[in-house]
Amino acid sequence: MTQIAVIAGSTREGSFNRALAKLAIAALEQQGAIVTDVDLATFDLPIYSAALETHAFPADALRLKSLFAAQDGLLFVSPEYNGSIPPLLKNAIDWASRPTGDESLVALTAYRGKASAVMSASISPFGGLRGLMQLRQILSTIQALVIPEQVVIPNAHTAFADDGRLKDALPASLVDMTAARLVAVARALSA
């Protein structure tokens, strides 16, 4: 079975990106994936520091890295903060990228060659696109294989129905299409 972790870059109550992540989880499960919903609020991750890493690699950073490494694919659902990704998400990505044990400095075991996808929901008319561009660059730099499909939900404050579904059929179909492609690529890479 294909294992996919869904990582939302927001822990806010009522987060549009958490709502989008829930839709993505359902779409991934429809494709037969085993999904792990990663709640970053459950990880005690200090701000990344090389000094801290050298003296006391945080246990939760190792737990997050191990969780990522065990997956066939990763789906990042990120809000946009001032045209970029939130520090919570960047910090989690950074800690999971660090070498542990006897790994080389560029081992990148949580990411290298792993199928990945990106999504965003934002109250802006751009739907978080600027942040996703940076997220793609970060993930590519740490050797993740980011699929071309992505989802942006503009005007997120009006995009979701009371039952959590997207009101508009087009972005809803993009969630399904992106999930299908991520699972297909993850399966092919892990075969």
Side-chain angles (χ1 to χ4, degrees), residues 4-12 14-29 35-40 75-79 117-121 151 153 160 164-166 175-176 179 182:
I4 307 286
V6 176
I7 306 96
S10 175
T11 58
R12 180 179 63 81
S15 162
F16 300 121
N17 285 280
R18 292 286 320 149
L20 180 56
K22 287 186 186 334
L23 294 175
I25 288 168
L28 289 164
E29 289 173 341
V35 180
T36 301
D37 184 1
V38 179
D39 182 356
L40 292 178
L75 171 59
F76 294 88
V77 185
S78 179
V118 296
M119 296 183 180
S120 182
V151 176
I153 307 296
F160 292 90
R165 289 183 295 147
L166 289 164
V175 171
D176 293 341
L182 177 59

Coordinates of all heavy atoms in Angstrom, one line a residue, residues 4-12 14-29 35-40 75-79 117-121 151 153 160 164-166 175-176 179 182:
I4 N 1.0 8.0 2.4 CA 1.2 9.4 2.1 C 0.9 10.1 3.4 O -0.1 9.9 4.1 CB 0.2 9.9 1.1 CG1 0.2 9.1 -0.2 CG2 0.3 11.4 0.8 CD1 1.4 9.3 -1.1
A5 N 1.8 11.1 3.8 CA 1.6 11.9 4.9 C 1.1 13.3 4.4 O 1.6 13.8 3.4 CB 2.9 12.2 5.7
V6 N 0.1 13.8 5.1 CA -0.5 15.1 4.8 C -0.1 16.1 5.9 O -0.4 15.8 7.1 CB -2.0 15.1 4.6 CG1 -2.6 16.5 4.4 CG2 -2.3 14.1 3.5
I7 N 0.7 17.1 5.6 CA 1.2 18.0 6.5 C 0.6 19.4 6.3 O 0.8 20.0 5.3 CB 2.7 18.2 6.4 CG1 3.4 16.8 6.5 CG2 3.3 19.1 7.5 CD1 3.7 16.2 5.2
A8 N -0.3 19.9 7.2 CA -0.8 21.2 7.1 C 0.1 22.2 7.9 O 0.5 21.9 9.0 CB -2.2 21.2 7.7
G9 N 0.3 23.3 7.2 CA 1.2 24.3 7.8 C 0.5 25.2 8.8 O 1.0 26.3 9.1
S10 N -0.7 24.9 9.2 CA -1.4 25.7 10.1 C -2.0 24.8 11.2 O -2.4 23.7 11.0 CB -2.6 26.4 9.4 OG -3.4 27.1 10.3
T11 N -2.0 25.4 12.4 CA -2.6 24.7 13.6 C -3.8 25.5 14.1 O -4.4 25.1 15.1 CB -1.6 24.5 14.7 OG1 -1.0 25.7 15.1 CG2 -0.4 23.6 14.2
R12 N -4.1 26.5 13.4 CA -5.2 27.4 13.9 C -6.6 26.7 13.8 O -6.9 26.0 12.9 CB -5.2 28.7 12.9 CG -6.3 29.7 13.3 CD -6.3 30.9 12.4 NE -6.5 30.6 11.0 CZ -7.8 30.5 10.5 NH1 -8.8 30.5 11.2 NH2 -7.9 30.2 9.2
G14 N -10.2 26.3 13.0 CA -10.9 26.9 11.9 C -10.1 27.2 10.6 O -10.5 27.9 9.7
S15 N -8.9 26.7 10.6 CA -8.0 26.9 9.5 C -8.5 26.4 8.2 O -9.0 25.3 8.0 CB -6.6 26.2 9.8 OG -5.9 26.1 8.6
F16 N -8.5 27.3 7.1 CA -8.9 26.9 5.8 C -8.0 25.8 5.2 O -8.4 24.9 4.5 CB -8.9 28.1 4.8 CG -9.8 29.2 5.3 CD1 -9.4 30.4 5.6 CD2 -11.2 28.9 5.5 CE1 -10.2 31.5 6.0 CE2 -12.0 29.9 5.9 CZ -11.5 31.2 6.2
N17 N -6.7 25.9 5.6 CA -5.7 24.9 5.1 C -5.9 23.5 5.8 O -5.8 22.5 5.2 CB -4.3 25.4 5.3 CG -4.0 26.4 4.2 OD1 -3.8 26.1 3.1 ND2 -4.2 27.7 4.6
R18 N -6.4 23.5 7.1 CA -6.7 22.2 7.7 C -8.0 21.7 7.0 O -8.1 20.5 6.8 CB -7.0 22.4 9.2 CG -5.8 22.8 10.0 CD -4.8 21.7 10.3 NE -5.4 20.4 10.6 CZ -4.8 19.3 10.3 NH1 -3.6 19.3 9.7 NH2 -5.4 18.1 10.6
A19 N -8.9 22.5 6.7 CA -10.1 22.1 5.9 C -9.7 21.5 4.6 O -10.3 20.4 4.2 CB -11.1 23.2 5.8
L20 N -8.8 22.1 3.9 CA -8.3 21.6 2.6 C -7.6 20.3 2.8 O -7.7 19.4 2.0 CB -7.4 22.7 1.9 CG -6.9 22.3 0.6 CD1 -7.9 21.9 -0.5 CD2 -6.0 23.5 0.0
A21 N -6.8 20.2 3.8 CA -6.1 19.0 4.1 C -7.0 17.8 4.3 O -6.8 16.7 3.9 CB -5.2 19.1 5.3
K22 N -8.2 18.1 5.0 CA -9.2 17.0 5.2 C -9.7 16.5 3.9 O -9.9 15.3 3.7 CB -10.3 17.5 6.1 CG -9.8 17.6 7.6 CD -11.0 18.0 8.5 CE -10.7 18.3 9.9 NZ -9.5 17.7 10.5
L23 N -10.0 17.5 3.0 CA -10.5 17.1 1.7 C -9.4 16.3 0.9 O -9.8 15.3 0.2 CB -10.9 18.3 0.9 CG -12.1 19.1 1.4 CD1 -12.3 20.4 0.6 CD2 -13.3 18.3 1.4
A24 N -8.2 16.7 1.0 CA -7.1 15.9 0.4 C -6.9 14.5 0.9 O -6.7 13.6 0.2 CB -5.8 16.7 0.5
I25 N -7.1 14.4 2.2 CA -7.0 13.1 2.9 C -8.0 12.2 2.3 O -7.7 11.0 1.9 CB -7.1 13.2 4.4 CG1 -5.8 13.9 5.0 CG2 -7.3 11.9 5.1 CD1 -5.9 14.3 6.4
A26 N -9.3 12.6 2.2 CA -10.3 11.8 1.7 C -10.0 11.4 0.2 O -10.3 10.3 -0.2 CB -11.7 12.6 1.8
A27 N -9.5 12.4 -0.6 CA -9.2 12.1 -2.0 C -8.1 11.1 -2.1 O -8.1 10.2 -2.9 CB -8.8 13.4 -2.7
L28 N -7.1 11.2 -1.2 CA -6.0 10.2 -1.2 C -6.4 8.8 -0.8 O -6.0 7.8 -1.4 CB -4.9 10.7 -0.3 CG -4.1 11.9 -0.7 CD1 -3.3 12.5 0.5 CD2 -3.1 11.6 -1.8
E29 N -7.3 8.8 0.1 CA -7.8 7.5 0.6 C -8.7 6.9 -0.5 O -8.7 5.6 -0.7 CB -8.6 7.6 1.9 CG -7.7 7.9 3.1 CD -8.4 8.2 4.4 OE1 -9.6 8.6 4.3 OE2 -7.8 8.1 5.4
V35 N -3.1 7.0 4.7 CA -2.8 8.4 4.9 C -2.5 8.7 6.4 O -3.2 8.2 7.3 CB -3.9 9.4 4.5 CG1 -3.6 10.8 4.7 CG2 -4.2 9.2 3.0
T36 N -1.4 9.4 6.7 CA -1.1 9.9 8.0 C -1.3 11.4 8.0 O -0.7 12.1 7.3 CB 0.4 9.6 8.4 OG1 0.6 8.1 8.3 CG2 0.7 10.1 9.8
D37 N -2.2 11.8 8.9 CA -2.5 13.2 9.1 C -1.5 13.8 10.1 O -1.6 13.5 11.3 CB -4.0 13.4 9.5 CG -4.4 14.9 9.6 OD1 -3.6 15.8 9.4 OD2 -5.5 15.1 10.0
V38 N -0.6 14.6 9.7 CA 0.5 15.1 10.5 C 0.0 16.4 11.1 O -0.1 17.4 10.4 CB 1.8 15.3 9.8 CG1 2.9 15.8 10.7 CG2 2.2 14.0 9.1
D39 N -0.2 16.4 12.4 CA -0.6 17.6 13.2 C 0.7 18.2 13.8 O 1.2 17.7 14.8 CB -1.6 17.3 14.2 CG -2.1 18.5 15.0 OD1 -1.6 19.6 14.8 OD2 -3.0 18.3 15.8
L40 N 1.2 19.3 13.2 CA 2.5 19.9 13.7 C 2.4 20.4 15.1 O 3.4 20.5 15.8 CB 2.9 21.0 12.7 CG 3.4 20.5 11.3 CD1 3.8 21.7 10.5 CD2 4.5 19.5 11.4
L75 N 2.3 15.3 1.2 CA 1.5 16.4 0.7 C 1.5 17.5 1.7 O 1.1 17.4 2.8 CB 0.0 15.9 0.5 CG -1.0 17.0 0.1 CD1 -0.7 17.7 -1.1 CD2 -2.4 16.4 0.0
F76 N 1.9 18.7 1.2 CA 2.0 19.9 2.1 C 0.9 20.8 1.7 O 0.7 21.2 0.6 CB 3.4 20.6 1.9 CG 4.6 19.8 2.3 CD1 5.2 18.9 1.5 CD2 5.0 19.9 3.6 CE1 6.3 18.1 1.9 CE2 6.1 19.1 4.1 CZ 6.7 18.2 3.2
V77 N 0.1 21.2 2.8 CA -1.0 22.1 2.6 C -0.7 23.4 3.4 O -0.7 23.3 4.6 CB -2.3 21.5 3.0 CG1 -3.5 22.4 2.7 CG2 -2.5 20.1 2.4
S78 N -0.3 24.4 2.7 CA 0.3 25.6 3.4 C -0.5 26.9 3.3 O -0.8 27.3 2.2 CB 1.7 25.8 2.9 OG 2.3 26.9 3.6
P79 N -0.7 27.6 4.4 CA -1.2 28.9 4.3 C -0.1 29.8 3.7 O 1.1 29.4 3.6 CB -1.6 29.3 5.7 CG -0.8 28.4 6.6 CD -0.6 27.2 5.8
A117 N 3.6 16.9 -3.1 CA 2.6 17.8 -3.8 C 2.3 18.9 -2.8 O 2.6 18.8 -1.6 CB 1.3 17.0 -4.1
V118 N 1.8 20.0 -3.4 CA 1.5 21.2 -2.6 C 0.1 21.7 -2.9 O -0.4 21.6 -4.0 CB 2.6 22.3 -2.9 CG1 4.0 21.9 -2.4 CG2 2.6 22.7 -4.3
M119 N -0.5 22.3 -1.8 CA -1.8 22.9 -1.9 C -1.8 24.1 -1.0 O -1.1 24.1 0.0 CB -2.9 21.9 -1.5 CG -3.1 20.7 -2.3 SD -4.4 19.7 -1.8 CE -4.4 18.4 -2.9
S120 N -2.7 25.0 -1.3 CA -2.9 26.2 -0.4 C -4.3 26.7 -0.5 O -4.9 26.7 -1.6 CB -1.9 27.3 -0.7 OG -2.0 28.4 0.1
A121 N -4.8 27.3 0.6 CA -6.0 28.0 0.7 C -5.7 29.3 1.3 O -5.0 29.4 2.4 CB -7.1 27.3 1.5
V151 N -2.9 22.7 -6.0 CA -4.2 23.3 -5.7 C -4.0 24.6 -5.0 O -3.3 24.7 -4.0 CB -5.1 22.3 -4.9 CG1 -6.4 23.0 -4.5 CG2 -5.3 21.0 -5.6
I153 N -6.7 27.6 -3.5 CA -8.1 28.0 -3.2 C -8.1 29.5 -2.9 O -7.8 29.9 -1.8 CB -8.6 27.2 -2.1 CG1 -8.5 25.7 -2.3 CG2 -10.1 27.6 -1.8 CD1 -9.2 25.1 -3.5
F160 N -15.6 27.4 1.1 CA -16.0 26.2 1.8 C -17.5 26.2 2.2 O -17.9 27.2 2.7 CB -15.2 25.9 3.0 CG -13.7 25.5 2.7 CD1 -12.8 26.5 2.6 CD2 -13.3 24.2 2.4 CE1 -11.4 26.2 2.3 CE2 -12.0 23.9 2.1 CZ -11.1 24.9 2.0
G164 N -17.9 21.5 4.9 CA -16.5 21.3 4.7 C -16.1 21.1 3.3 O -14.9 21.2 2.9
R165 N -17.0 20.8 2.4 CA -16.7 20.6 1.0 C -16.5 22.0 0.3 O -16.9 23.0 0.8 CB -17.8 19.9 0.2 CG -17.9 18.4 0.7 CD -18.9 17.7 -0.1 NE -20.2 18.2 0.2 CZ -21.3 18.3 -0.7 NH1 -21.1 17.8 -1.9 NH2 -22.4 18.8 -0.3
L166 N -15.8 22.0 -0.8 CA -15.6 23.2 -1.6 C -16.8 23.5 -2.4 O -17.5 22.5 -3.0 CB -14.4 23.0 -2.6 CG -13.0 23.0 -1.9 CD1 -11.9 22.5 -2.8 CD2 -12.7 24.4 -1.4
V175 N -8.3 19.0 -6.4 CA -7.9 18.3 -5.2 C -7.9 16.8 -5.6 O -6.9 16.1 -5.3 CB -8.9 18.5 -4.0 CG1 -8.6 17.5 -2.9 CG2 -8.8 19.9 -3.6
D176 N -8.9 16.3 -6.2 CA -9.0 14.9 -6.6 C -7.9 14.5 -7.6 O -7.2 13.5 -7.5 CB -10.4 14.5 -7.2 CG -11.5 14.6 -6.2 OD1 -11.2 14.6 -5.0 OD2 -12.7 14.7 -6.7
A179 N -4.4 14.5 -5.9 CA -4.3 13.3 -5.1 C -4.0 12.1 -5.9 O -3.2 11.3 -5.6 CB -5.6 13.2 -4.2
L182 N -0.4 12.3 -7.2 CA 0.6 12.0 -6.1 C 0.6 10.6 -5.8 O 1.7 10.0 -5.7 CB 0.2 12.9 -4.9 CG 1.1 12.6 -3.7 CD1 2.6 13.0 -4.0 CD2 0.6 13.5 -2.5

